[in-house]
Amino acid sequence: MSESKDKRIKKLKKNRIWPFILGMFVIVLIFACMVLALVGASVEDVVKRKVLNGLRQAEQIAESFKDYDSEDKNTEETILNYLDMALETNSVWVTDLENEKIWASSDMSPKVDKAQFINFGDNNPVNLIIEDDSEKLLTIEHIGKEILTADTVLKILDSKGNDNETIAVIKVWFIQEVDDLTVYVLQDINIYAYDCFMLLVSLILFGVMIAAFILYYISSFVDIIVNARRTSKVIYTDITTGGKNWLYFVKKGNRILKRKTYINNYAVIHLKMRKYRSFCTCFGVKEGEILVEKMHHVLKKQIKRGELMVFKENATYALLLAYENEEQLKERIEDITNKLNMLLYNMKLYFAVGIYKVNKKETDIEQLYNNAVLACDMLGEEAETQVIFFDVEMNNRRIWERKVENDMYSALTNHEFQVYLQPKISTSKEELAGAEALVRWIHPREGFIPPNMFIPIFERNGFILKLDDYMLEEIAKQQSEWIKQGRKVVPISVNVSRAHFAKEDLAEHICSIVDKYQVPHEVIELELTESAFFDDKQVLLETVRKLRESGFIVSMDDFGAGYSSLNSLKEMKLDVLKLDADFFRGAEAQDRGLLIVSEVIDLAKKLNMKIVAEGIESREQVDFLTEQECDLIQGYFFAKPMPIREFEEKYND
Ligand code: C2E
Ligand code: CA
Ligand code: CA
């Protein structure tokens, strides 16, 4: 898959979850800060209020020391009584102007050096010492913050706001000047749970808010996950079949192949229904889609765990199948195509199947599938089900094909295609009686290229039409030149590829090329292959009739190779029958083959046809054919195809 495509899919599937989570944290943080500030302020308020209460009590006690007389036991008793009543006062310490202790209710003494003035906002600062274990100089604000610990909060929550439970105690010495004395009054400032009512309310509110937010975020989170799954489903679903699509095949397939632990062998398969377009033309696109869907269901049933199958396009399917050995895989494919074949009662379906056997190190399923397609492309358009395995040679062939396709147009304009002529020799006098024009490609970089390396490619891509026209024109030009020079001319044949017969005006087209050079049609022979008989027979018969009527010699090439049918001979009047070289090669050349040759010659004679035997390499073959009254012989025994100049020198003088 291309990188940009991959990126686009990732973008589609992306869950913007991180900004979401971050947002959640920021909001919770802001709330927490707000609550802390509120709570902090409320605790500080509480502490200040309490300290002022304590101050009032301390002032009353200090009042008792007005006109203090150390000798007067009554005064002391009054003070002690007073102290007993004042529950929150722990101790009193009195000093004179020199800071000498004059009186004390207990051993507890203030740390005088830590005395500090605290302003409560009324410009009347209070002088006090905060009793604390630590050496730091605590202020009220500090105390407010120190009280606010997790422990305190728990205590407050536990008290539920209606309990008298003390949650913190601050010990403060209030310093009062009375006459010449300094009176230090130690007070316990108790902070009760109910003092922190505001704090509690804030905490509860905070809790509710957090809970609401968490709920909101959980529901949004679930929504995102659900949406992400839905997007994934849309991305990986094929709308024609409702099954998974090619993207899924690539993603999952790569994952399966990367799992090094798989035990089975895997094969990537390209399965294509033949003639799907014709099916749609006959029955309609809708019927075509229904068939595709049905095929998908059949295939789905054949797929096991760890295997994949998706619809690709135009009745083609991509499969990833596990297999034990090649034989078993072939059987399985056969079984699958048989099952597909049962889909239509009145019609047989044909399939082309390309298989690529995956090596354990290969993981790029797209590339592997390409190989399966490449193998499948090697199969022709035969009307039968065929299965083909990929081999490395196919890849080289594909590369070559690209090269040929790239260069063919410039080759035609640059006259890189050259005409070679191969003589046809008469058996009666063993002299030149004709020739066949055969093309050679003299490539500027590749050098000499024989026709079997590019003709099949041109036949597939249609360029053969241009090449054959070019050859015909070259021959017409050459014949006219020789005629003008007064040389002896023999009929020269050109090959007319099967593709031409799709044109209804082929005969007119050929005439127009030849007539440009005013060449009598009798010196041009047209070789048709038998395979042309499988296309539109009516057009073929009509074309052949017109060509013969206008004087061209028409021959049937390669008779006996592939689909020999004597029927085609009966149906169509032709001038020449060219016996394929296969008759005279290998096992065919044995008695049975030769018997067939003599029978075919016999039949052709009865049909008034001339016989040319191709691929003749030995004297025995020549003698045999002469004996059978074969008319002409074309083969290496007499001559190989040669450039026109060489042909001219040898035969036309
Ligand atoms: P074909 O039309 O059957 O041509 C005969 C082929 O047999 C030629 O191969 C020729 O060189 C070869 N041949 C002739 N005598 C012998 C022999 O004694 N022994 C052996 N082993 N071979 C012999 P070539 O030239 O390689 O052409 C191959 C095929 O390419 C042709 O088969 C024809 O189908 C196609 N072809 C060549 N030129 C053209 C063209 O201009 N147009 C079209 N459409 N096809 C062409
Ligand atoms: Ca030929
Ligand atoms: Ca031939």
Side-chain angles (χ1 to χ4, degrees):
M1 199 181 304
S2 78
E3 247 172 60
S4 56
K5 197 169 169 189
D6 210 24
K7 265 191 207 155
R8 280 202 292 277
I9 293 166
K10 276 197 186 133
K11 207 165 152 191
L12 275 177
K13 283 170 63 189
K14 201 168 174 177
N15 299 330
R16 284 170 190 84
I17 201 102
W18 286 114
F20 177 82
I21 289 177
L22 202 75
M24 185 171 98
F25 273 114
V26 169
I27 288 174
V28 168
L29 207 73
I30 291 171
F31 271 128
C33 289
M34 276 163 53
V35 167
L36 277 179
L38 199 68
V39 167
S42 88
V43 171
E44 208 179 294
D45 264 7
V46 169
V47 173
K48 278 184 181 170
R49 193 160 33 85
K50 289 257 157 175
V51 168
L52 283 176
N53 281 346
L55 174 68
R56 271 186 285 278
Q57 207 160 33
E59 276 170 350
Q60 281 176 19
I61 289 169
E63 267 312 284
S64 319
F65 284 90
K66 231 180 184 149
D67 309 321
Y68 174 71
D69 181 359
S70 57
E71 301 302 314
D72 186 355
K73 288 284 169 210
N74 274 345
T75 314
E76 195 175 319
E77 215 162 291
T78 318
I79 294 166
L80 284 173
N81 277 340
Y82 197 85
L83 279 179
D84 276 348
M85 279 155 56
L87 288 174
E88 291 180 337
T89 308
N90 276 345
S91 209
V92 176
W93 184 273
V94 186
T95 56
D96 61 13
L97 283 173
E98 276 79 45
N99 234 349
E100 286 298 316
K101 181 180 96 175
I102 287 180
W103 189 85
S105 66
S106 70
D107 291 345
M108 287 196 275
S109 61
K111 289 173 188 144
V112 180
D113 56 326
K114 288 198 173 182
Q116 56 180 313
F117 283 98
I118 294 177
N119 202 333
F120 282 85
D122 50 2
N123 278 338
N124 198 7
V126 181
N127 194 11
L128 50 71
I129 299 162
I130 296 164
E131 180 95 344
D132 191 77
D133 297 338
S134 66
E135 286 302 306
K136 342 175 246 189
L137 188 70
L138 285 176
T139 64
I140 296 296
E141 286 86 354
H142 272 121
I143 288 182
K145 278 177 193 125
E146 289 220 342
I147 289 173
L148 194 67
T149 61
D151 205 31
T152 328
V153 171
L154 281 179
K155 272 188 197 165
I156 295 170
L157 287 175
D158 203 37
S159 69
K160 296 177 189 75
N162 52 21
D163 204 339
N164 263 10
E165 201 179 327
T166 314
I167 55 158
V169 180
I170 311 161
K171 288 181 181 306
V172 177
W173 287 99
F174 290 99
I175 307 165
Q176 301 287 310
E177 303 293 333
V178 179
D179 298 339
D180 290 337
L181 303 175
T182 308
V183 182
Y184 297 87
V185 182
L186 177 64
Q187 294 262 38
D188 277 354
I189 310 280
N190 288 305
I191 312 282
Y192 299 107
Y194 64 76
D195 292 324
C196 301
F197 181 67
M198 265 305 287
L199 172 67
L200 185 75
V201 170
S202 315
L203 286 173
I204 290 172
L205 267 177
F206 178 63
V208 169
M209 264 178 330
I210 292 289
F213 260 94
I214 288 177
L215 266 175
Y216 166 74
Y217 273 98
I218 287 179
S219 70
S220 308
F221 191 76
V222 170
D223 203 38
I224 286 181
I225 301 285
V226 168
N227 269 337
R229 298 195 121 207
R230 202 176 294 149
T231 316
S232 255
K233 208 168 170 194
V234 170
I235 291 176
Y236 294 126
T237 301
D238 166 64
I239 45 167
T240 311
T241 59
K244 295 278 188 278
N245 64 10
W246 172 248
L247 278 180
Y248 179 83
F249 185 80
V250 173
K251 186 187 89 147
K252 196 72 195 283
N254 283 340
R255 208 179 288 163
I256 291 175
L257 296 181
K258 275 185 189 127
R259 224 185 285 142
K260 296 280 177 236
T261 46
Y262 63 82
I263 318 153
N264 281 317
N265 300 308
Y266 271 108
V268 180
I269 293 158
H270 171 72
L271 184 143
K272 159 176 121 178
M273 176 190 154
R274 289 185 189 274
K275 309 263 179 212
Y276 176 66
R277 276 186 209 284
S278 317
F279 182 90
C280 289
T281 313
C282 292
F283 303 102
V285 177
K286 205 162 172 201
E287 278 304 309
E289 285 194 349
I290 292 171
L291 179 64
V292 159
E293 230 174 301
K294 282 183 183 166
M295 279 163 56
H296 184 268
H297 286 303
V298 170
L299 288 168
K300 204 169 155 192
K301 281 193 192 137
Q302 305 302 313
I303 296 302
K304 298 178 186 152
R305 247 180 97 88
E307 298 183 332
L308 299 172
M309 181 280 305
V310 299
F311 167 70
K312 188 105 206 293
E313 69 219 333
N314 285 337
T316 62
Y317 298 84
L319 293 93
L320 177 72
L321 298 186
Y323 72 98
E324 284 158 26
N325 54 54
E326 206 172 297
E327 221 27 62
Q328 177 255 345
L329 179 61
K330 268 194 209 154
E331 275 168 26
R332 197 164 161 207
I333 301 277
E334 198 184 322
D335 185 48
I336 288 175
T337 50
N338 284 344
K339 290 208 165 81
L340 289 173
N341 229 328
M342 281 162 17
L343 277 174
L344 301 178
Y345 302 107
N346 48 358
M347 193 184 203
K348 235 175 132 47
L349 300 178
Y350 298 107
F351 298 90
V353 186
I355 305 177
Y356 182 81
K357 294 193 284 177
V358 183
N359 297 316
K360 292 260 165 168
K361 278 186 194 144
E362 295 171 322
T363 53
D364 182 357
I365 200 156
E366 274 186 297
Q367 182 58 45
L368 308 179
Y369 180 72
N370 251 349
N371 290 343
V373 174
L374 194 101
C376 199
D377 286 350
M378 295 295 154
L379 299 172
E381 283 300 320
E382 271 32 89
E384 56 178 325
T385 292
Q386 284 176 308
V387 176
I388 186 169
F389 283 84
F390 173 89
D391 74 59
V392 189
E393 203 30 53
M394 289 174 181
N395 224 354
N396 298 338
R397 270 160 71 184
R398 172 54 64 96
I399 293 168
W400 173 253
E401 203 165 317
R402 283 278 132 78
K403 203 187 180 89
V404 165
E405 286 181 344
N406 266 339
D407 296 350
M408 59 194 191
Y409 287 98
S410 56
L412 198 65
T413 39
N414 298 342
H415 291 273
E416 287 169 26
F417 295 113
Q418 277 196 14
V419 182
Y420 271 47
L421 293 176
Q422 186 176 30
K424 295 176 191 169
I425 307 293
S426 70
T427 46
S428 51
K429 297 188 188 148
E430 290 203 1
E431 61 178 24
L432 184 78
E436 177 175 5
L438 295 157
V439 68
R440 302 290 180 259
W441 188 351
I442 317 295
H443 194 282
R445 288 182 306 280
E446 301 292 329
F448 182 94
I449 312 175
N452 59 352
M453 282 185 73
F454 56 89
I455 295 285
I457 301 174
F458 291 173
E459 273 170 349
R460 275 200 292 277
N461 66 26
F463 191 74
I464 194 69
L465 302 178
K466 288 198 171 10
L467 180 75
D468 283 352
D469 285 355
Y470 173 83
M471 292 291 285
L472 178 65
E473 186 154 357
E474 288 298 296
I475 290 304
K477 213 190 290 175
Q478 190 56 65
Q479 292 285 55
S480 101
E481 203 179 292
W482 279 331
I483 290 168
K484 277 186 200 139
Q485 289 168 0
R487 294 180 192 238
K488 171 190 155 201
V489 289
V490 289
I492 297 184
S493 61
V494 292
N495 290 284
V496 183
S497 175
R498 170 181 179 176
H500 291 275
F501 291 91
K503 281 195 254 161
E504 282 190 24
D505 62 346
L506 178 63
E508 291 79 2
H509 178 73
I510 289 176
C511 284
S512 73
I513 293 175
V514 174
D515 293 346
K516 263 203 271 181
Y517 301 92
Q518 291 154 352
V519 175
H521 294 176
E522 298 75 39
V523 296
I524 305 281
E525 181 175 331
L526 303 161
E527 296 192 7
L528 326 180
T529 56
E530 238 192 321
S531 60
F533 287 69
F534 292 94
D535 295 323
D536 193 333
K537 212 178 254 178
Q538 233 25 63
V539 177
L540 178 79
L541 291 176
E542 191 52 25
T543 306
V544 169
R545 189 187 58 76
K546 281 195 218 160
L547 286 171
R548 292 186 72 235
E549 265 177 22
S550 57
F552 290 106
I553 306 168
V554 182
S555 54
M556 185 190 279
D557 199 1
D558 301 339
F559 186 83
Y563 322 87
S564 290
S565 98
L566 294 167
N567 261 349
S568 44
L569 287 186
K570 275 194 264 163
E571 280 177 75
M572 180 164 7
K573 272 183 116 15
L574 293 170
D575 305 293
V576 179
L577 186 70
K578 291 190 80 178
L579 293 179
D580 193 76
D582 268 3
F583 277 120
F584 312 100
R585 300 238 165 80
E588 293 293 332
Q590 301 310 308
D591 294 347
R592 252 176 73 81
L594 296 181
L595 186 72
I596 295 172
V597 170
S598 64
E599 289 300 316
V600 170
I601 293 175
D602 216 38
L603 177 74
K605 288 258 167 246
K606 283 184 191 141
L607 292 170
N608 252 339
M609 293 169 91
K610 273 195 164 180
I611 322 278
V612 180
E614 281 190 286
I616 301 306
E617 295 180 348
S618 68
R619 172 46 70 186
E620 292 87 80
Q621 288 170 335
V622 175
D623 291 344
F624 168 77
L625 289 161
T626 313
E627 201 178 299
Q628 300 301 318
E629 293 179 20
C630 170
D631 303 285
L632 303 178
I633 285 176
Q634 179 185 347
Y636 290 176
F637 177 74
F638 288 114
K640 285 190 173 178
M642 59 192 82
I644 293 185
R645 293 299 143 240
E646 195 180 321
F647 181 85
E648 206 172 40
E649 278 163 25
K650 276 199 179 149
Y651 299 97
N652 275 6
D653 280 334

